[in-house]
């Protein structure tokens, strides 16, 4: 496992993510515990970006329960179909929300969150967890983020 991340400065977001992905792969490849890997992934993304909140919710019985994250304290349980996270669980699709204020049923864990992306982690057709990223800026999360975060989720 690498001891430190090399975070590319003054490059496009696409290039930064391109440089980061193999490092994340290296970070988690020697460990098979999901929670340990989620914790390091959350830390690596937090270190490499300015996003407000990055973390995981795990499907436990009929709810999403808060898992490893970096950022402000957050809601601990989310019902299926509720908020952005519960909707991504129900639809099994990545959701990019440019303005959380106009997403029906958005759950505001932090008033500072303005845009959000949620990527479901799917194994054997079932959502096992979701990755959630929040930004303090409107329209900050886009298809480049979706592509990167979907690849990260696929590593777990
Ligand atoms: N905004 C999310 C809740 C989780 S927090 O953002 C960390 C939602 O609407 O599901």
């Amino acid at each position: 496992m690498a001891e430190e991340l090399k975070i590319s400065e003054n490059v496009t977001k696409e290039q930064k993510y391109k440089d980061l992905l193999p490092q994340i792969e290296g970070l988690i490849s020697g460990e098979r515990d999901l929670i340990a890997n989620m914790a390091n992934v959350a830390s690596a993304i937090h270190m490499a970006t300015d996003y407000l909140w990055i973390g995981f919710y795990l499907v436990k019985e009929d709810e999403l329960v808060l898992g490893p994250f970096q950022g402000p304290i957050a809601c601990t349980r989310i019902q299926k179909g509720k908020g952005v996270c519960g909707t991504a669980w129900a639809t099994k699709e990545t959701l990019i929300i440019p303005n959380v204020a106009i997403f029906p049923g958005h759950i505001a864990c932090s008033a500072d969150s303005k845009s959000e992306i949620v990527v479901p982690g799917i194994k054997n057709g079932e959502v096992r967890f979701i990755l959630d990223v929040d930004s303090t800026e409107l329209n900050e999360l886009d298809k480049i983020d979706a592509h990167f975060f979907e690849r990260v989720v696929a590593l777990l």
Side-chain angles (χ1 to χ4, degrees), residues 41 49 74 80 106 134:
V41 166
T49 68
K80 195 170 193 176
H106 169 255
D134 287 74

Side-chain angles (χ1 to χ4, degrees), residues 52-55 57 64 66 69 72-75 78-79 82-88 97 100 103-110 113 115-116 118 130 132-134:
L52 172 71
W53 197 92
I54 144 80
Y57 282 88
L64 289 171
L66 184 63
F69 72 95
I73 56 172
C75 328
I78 297 173
Q79 310 301 313
K82 300 290 181 192
V84 186
C85 295
T87 304
I97 312 299
V100 297
F103 182 88
H106 169 255
I107 301 164
C109 292
S110 164
S113 172
S115 58
E116 182 164 2
V118 178
I130 64 99
D132 181 17
V133 181
D134 287 74

Side-chain angles (χ1 to χ4, degrees), residues 33-43 53-60 63-78 85 109 128-132 156:
D33 186 89
L34 181 63
I35 300 295
N37 286 335
M38 285 175 163
N40 263 340
V41 166
S43 174
W53 197 92
I54 144 80
F56 296 89
Y57 282 88
L58 293 116
V59 174
K60 293 193 178 171
E63 291 177 312
L64 289 171
V65 181
L66 184 63
F69 72 95
Q70 297 273 320
I73 56 172
C75 328
T76 52
R77 290 174 189 267
I78 297 173
C85 295
C109 292
R128 301 290 161 91
F129 62 88
I130 64 99
L131 167 63
D132 181 17
L156 287 163

Side-chain angles (χ1 to χ4, degrees), residues 18 21 119 145-156:
K18 205 174 164 193
L21 193 69
V119 178
D145 296 276
H147 182 67
F148 171 64
F149 291 127
E150 282 170 358
R151 294 184 72 183
V152 169
V153 159
L155 295 172
L156 287 163

